[in-house]
């Protein structure tokens, strides 16, 4: 029987392929599976599977209106030569934890894990639903989603993609990766504002019915590559299942032994995928949500109050510089007993007042989650200490998680084996990483730092960095938030 998807804010119910195509529900809600399926293959059997085989075993349970041939074709086209390791997501043991390296794709960030497959899921969904319109992907990015989405959708027939990013809120490498993107169907726009402004602007365009009709009349329809799209979330579940299976295969854990997961998160999608994996039967004990100084999620798990009314802080982990964690809505909906009316009221309060407080009963259902945060000083300190002790270099986002885990282990004495989601290559944030290793590096240029990082880490410079070293700037549009719809109209002519 097909697994259907429901809006978190209403009664709209659709198939998996329709949810992927739409991105956002008509009522502004996010699509969630009506039930979370259970793994139907024993973990010890999955232990012998490749990443691609594991992806099929997990994703077939969620994307039930895809045929076996369709889904395997999407997987094969996504997880191939674009990744620089055969394992796709290798695990490195360091600092008393297991670092799950999710950055071996084309743009050296964890977003590649889902955005390598989303274009194929989307175009397959369009064929399944007899869609003849050109699909226009609208995406807001805090740094990594943008480049990964651009790389995934560049020159994919029947699609166009517009990426909005905060002009002064991403690292120099992240910005250069985006503004040098080739592809006649791509556009990159810097906005005067922060990520939350960009995300709100994109959501407003999705919810603008007049604009939707205007686009349809010209042969276009909007969809999203942000983690609000269920086609982004489902592929992320895979790597947690794969990580457990690999640890089992290597004898690092035994059958049914629990593990903890630590995830550096701003938009909440990456840790929500781990929560879904737990719901599928993966023996995850604690879900540790690691925040930087924009610690809105830490405060939420401490108090039950989500409050975005605070100073927005620019940090060395810019992909987590977020005050509106869109994917948290999926957890709120489930915690509210799948009550879309109650959830819609919380989201209305967030829009109108900037905050909401869940009930004590709902907070009781969140005991699997634990929040922690790392200051800028903590982040730099852990990069330096892991490098000095083990010669292993991690990026700033991974360092937030490593710092939070160190604090948790020290305070709780919890000895459960722990996987840390390593979400980006240190090459993406060379200045912050190298300055943390030794302040003497701060006087070097960005690409001198790249060469120096290769020397101290003994890790080859990724193609994603080499190809932008002398690349030409192809996108230089900058606009105010209110100008975003006109920028899209102009691009579509």
């Amino acid at each position: 029987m097909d697994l259907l998807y429901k809006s978190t804010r209403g009664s709209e119910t659709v198939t998996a392929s329709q949810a992927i195509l739409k991105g956002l529900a008509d009522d502004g809600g996010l699509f969630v599976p009506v039930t979370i399926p259970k793994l139907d293959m024993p973990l010890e059997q999955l232990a012998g599977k490749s990443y691609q085989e594991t992806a099929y075993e997990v994703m077939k349970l969620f994307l039930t209106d895809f045929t076996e041939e369709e889904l395997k074709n999407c997987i094969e086209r996504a997880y191939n030569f674009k990744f620089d390791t055969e394992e796709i997501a290798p695990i490195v043991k360091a600092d008393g934890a297991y670092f799950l390296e999710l950055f071996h794709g084309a743009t050296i960030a964890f977003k590649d894990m889902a955005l390598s497959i989303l274009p194929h899921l989307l175009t397959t969904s369009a064929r399944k639903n007899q869609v003849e319109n050109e699909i226009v992907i609208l995406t807001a990015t805090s740094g990594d989603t943008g480049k990964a989405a651009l790389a995934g959708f560049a020159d994919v027939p029947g699609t166009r993609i517009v990426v909005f990013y905060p002009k002064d809120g991403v690292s120099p490498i992240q910005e250069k990766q985006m503004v040098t993107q080739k592809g006649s169907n791509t556009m990159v726009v810097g906005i005067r504002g922060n990520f939350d402004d960009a995300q709100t602007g994109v959501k407003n365009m999705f919810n603008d019915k007049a604009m939707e009709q205007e686009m349809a009349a010209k042969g276009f329809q909007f969809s999203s590559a942000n983690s609000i799209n269920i086609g982004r979330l489902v592929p992320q579940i895979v790597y947690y299942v794969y990580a457990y299976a690999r640890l089992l295969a290597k004898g690092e854990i035994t059958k049914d032994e629990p593990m903890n997961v630590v995830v550096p998160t701003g938009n909440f999608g990456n840790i929500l995928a781990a929560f879904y994996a737990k719901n599928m039967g993966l023996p995850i004990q604690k879900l540790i949500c690691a925040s930087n100084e924009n610690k809105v999620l830490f405060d939420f798990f401490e108090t039950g109050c989500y409050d975005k009314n605070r100073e927005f802080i620019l940090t060395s982990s810019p992909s987590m510089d977020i005050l509106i964690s869109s994917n948290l809505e999926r957890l709120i909906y489930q915690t509210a007993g799948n009550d879309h009316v109650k959830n819609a009221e919380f989201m209305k309060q967030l829009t109108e007042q900037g905050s909401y407080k869940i009930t004590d009963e709902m907070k009781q259902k969140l005991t699997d989650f634990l929040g922690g945060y790392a200051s800028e000083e903590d982040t730099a300190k852990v990069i330096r200490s892991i490098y000095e002790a083990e010669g292993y270099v991690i990026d700033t986002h991974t360092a937030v998680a490593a710092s939070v885990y160190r604090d948790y282990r020290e305070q709780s004495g919890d000895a459960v084996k722990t996987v840390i989601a390593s979400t980006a290559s240190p090459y993406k944030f060379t200045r912050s990483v190298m300055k943390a290793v030794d302040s003497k590096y701060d006087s070097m240029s960005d690409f001198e730092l790249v060469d120096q990082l290769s020397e101290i880490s003994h890790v080859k410079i990724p193609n994603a960095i080499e190809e932008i070293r002398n690349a030409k700037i192809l996108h230089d549009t900058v606009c105010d938030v209110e100008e975003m719809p006109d920028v899209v109209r102009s691009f579509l002519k």
Side-chain angles (χ1 to χ4, degrees):
M1 204 169 80
D2 275 357
L3 176 64
L4 297 176
Y5 288 78
K6 198 172 177 299
S7 168
T8 53
R9 300 189 196 179
S11 53
E12 183 180 359
T13 305
V14 297
T15 64
S17 62
Q18 288 167 341
I20 290 168
L21 266 177
K22 289 169 78 77
L24 204 62
D26 290 338
D27 52 32
L30 309 189
F31 287 115
V32 289
V34 171
T35 58
I36 296 177
K38 297 294 181 188
L39 287 166
D40 62 1
M41 181 178 280
L43 286 164
E44 53 270 35
Q45 204 173 325
L46 280 169
K49 300 284 184 191
S50 67
Y51 192 88
Q52 294 85 341
E53 290 167 333
T54 307
Y56 176 72
E57 292 302 328
V58 173
M59 292 173 68
K60 72 175 187 185
L61 303 172
F62 285 93
L63 309 181
T64 53
D65 64 332
F66 283 67
T67 66
E68 180 177 347
E69 184 186 3
E70 285 171 338
L71 186 51
K72 283 186 172 174
N73 182 48
C74 290
I75 290 166
E76 282 164 21
R77 291 169 74 186
Y79 305 112
N80 54 19
F81 61 88
K82 293 190 292 290
F83 286 80
D84 63 18
T85 58
E86 195 178 328
E87 272 191 292
I88 306 296
I91 296 171
V92 173
K93 194 173 181 180
D95 201 41
Y98 299 91
F99 288 78
L100 176 62
E101 293 188 343
L102 300 171
F103 52 76
H104 289 278
T107 74
I108 58 174
F110 84 99
K111 307 293 172 75
D112 288 322
M113 303 300 291
L115 282 163
S116 293
I117 195 167
L118 182 61
H120 306 298
L121 295 175
L122 197 59
T123 50
T124 304
S125 296
R127 283 196 300 273
K128 292 176 82 66
N129 290 277
Q130 290 81 50
V131 169
E132 292 179 7
N133 284 345
E134 195 165 352
I135 296 165
V136 181
I137 305 297
L138 297 183
T139 289
T141 184
S142 54
D144 287 338
T145 287
K147 175 59 183 180
L150 288 160
F153 282 94
D155 294 323
V156 170
T159 69
R160 298 201 201 184
I161 178 166
V162 187
V163 168
F164 295 95
Y165 74 97
K167 183 71 185 87
D168 300 312
V170 300
S171 79
I173 297 282
Q174 283 177 313
E175 183 172 43
K176 192 154 189 196
Q177 279 190 301
M178 287 189 281
V179 299
T180 57
Q181 177 65 49
K182 295 173 182 173
S184 58
N185 66 334
T186 66
M187 185 180 197
V188 179
V189 185
I191 67 143
R192 299 180 189 99
N194 59 38
F195 168 74
D196 291 330
D197 297 324
Q199 178 90 305
T200 300
V202 166
K203 281 188 174 180
N204 288 344
M205 282 188 276
F206 273 111
N207 293 325
D208 186 335
K209 298 303 170 192
M211 190 174 185
E212 182 183 336
Q213 288 172 1
E214 180 190 344
M215 292 294 125
K218 302 280 187 185
F220 299 110
Q221 72 183 62
F222 290 149
S223 189
S224 171
N226 275 82
S227 55
I228 55 175
N229 192 316
I230 198 72
R232 271 279 303 276
L233 191 61
V234 170
Q236 291 181 279
I237 300 167
V238 174
Y239 47 73
Y240 294 108
V241 176
Y242 179 73
Y244 189 89
R246 291 306 301 149
L247 291 177
L248 205 54
K250 292 175 179 179
E252 294 287 343
I253 54 174
T254 57
K255 184 178 179 294
D256 299 327
E257 183 182 350
M259 73 172 183
N260 293 329
V261 173
V262 189
V263 187
T265 189
N267 212 10
F268 204 73
N270 201 3
I271 196 164
L272 183 71
F275 176 68
Y276 277 23
K278 179 181 170 78
N279 278 249
M280 292 182 81
L282 200 67
I284 293 174
Q285 187 161 293
K286 279 286 176 197
L287 293 148
I288 302 169
C289 179
S291 299
N292 63 17
E293 289 180 355
N294 292 291
K295 56 187 185 69
V296 64
L297 286 166
F298 168 77
D299 291 340
F300 168 72
F301 285 114
E302 287 286 296
T303 66
C305 178
Y306 191 95
D307 187 357
K308 75 175 184 73
N309 300 315
R310 61 183 71 204
E311 182 192 357
F312 183 92
I313 303 166
L314 291 172
T315 73
S316 61
S317 46
S319 298
M320 295 159 63
D321 290 347
I322 294 171
L323 295 180
I324 304 173
S325 304
S326 297
N327 260 291
L328 185 64
E329 179 171 348
R330 287 184 164 112
L331 181 66
I332 297 298
Y333 170 78
Q334 188 169 330
T335 310
N338 298 343
D339 185 334
H340 66 261
V341 176
K342 195 185 279 189
N343 175 70
E345 181 54 38
F346 287 131
M347 296 308 125
K348 187 174 177 224
Q349 287 173 29
L350 183 63
T351 301
E352 294 176 356
Q353 299 157 32
S355 67
Y356 60 84
K357 187 170 177 61
I358 61 172
T359 64
D360 289 341
E361 185 189 0
M362 288 171 69
K363 196 167 185 296
Q364 285 301 311
K365 294 179 184 175
L366 296 176
T367 51
D368 291 343
F369 286 92
L370 193 85
Y373 75 96
S375 67
E376 287 291 87
E377 189 183 343
D378 297 332
T379 304
K381 187 176 166 187
V382 83
I383 291 171
R384 184 168 57 255
S385 72
I386 292 177
Y387 168 68
E388 288 174 350
E390 313 202 30
Y392 184 54
V393 183
I394 57 175
D395 93 293
T396 47
H397 302 74
T398 307
V400 167
S403 176
V404 165
Y405 176 58
R406 278 184 174 185
D407 289 346
Y408 168 73
R409 193 173 54 197
E410 195 176 303
Q411 290 160 18
S412 67
D414 184 357
V416 167
K417 308 277 174 61
T418 297
V419 167
I420 293 175
S422 185
T423 52
S425 165
Y427 281 100
K428 217 157 189 175
F429 305 94
T430 44
R431 184 160 302 280
S432 298
V433 167
M434 294 302 286
K435 189 177 172 185
V437 168
D438 193 322
S439 59
K440 71 181 182 185
Y441 293 120
D442 202 28
S443 60
M444 292 183 175
S445 71
D446 288 322
F447 283 98
E448 283 175 334
L449 288 171
V450 163
D451 295 330
Q452 194 64 41
L453 174 56
S454 178
E455 196 172 307
I456 70 161
S457 66
H458 308 293
V459 173
K460 183 174 175 278
I461 299 169
N463 288 338
I465 298 298
E466 287 293 10
E467 68 189 15
I468 63 167
R469 199 184 280 262
N470 301 304
K472 186 181 172 189
I473 304 293
L474 301 174
H475 305 272
D476 57 5
T477 304
V478 179
C479 76
D480 292 321
V481 175
E482 55 272 18
E483 296 172 315
M484 287 167 64
D486 288 334
V487 167
V488 172
R489 287 186 181 97
S490 172
F491 174 57
L492 301 177
K493 297 184 174 64

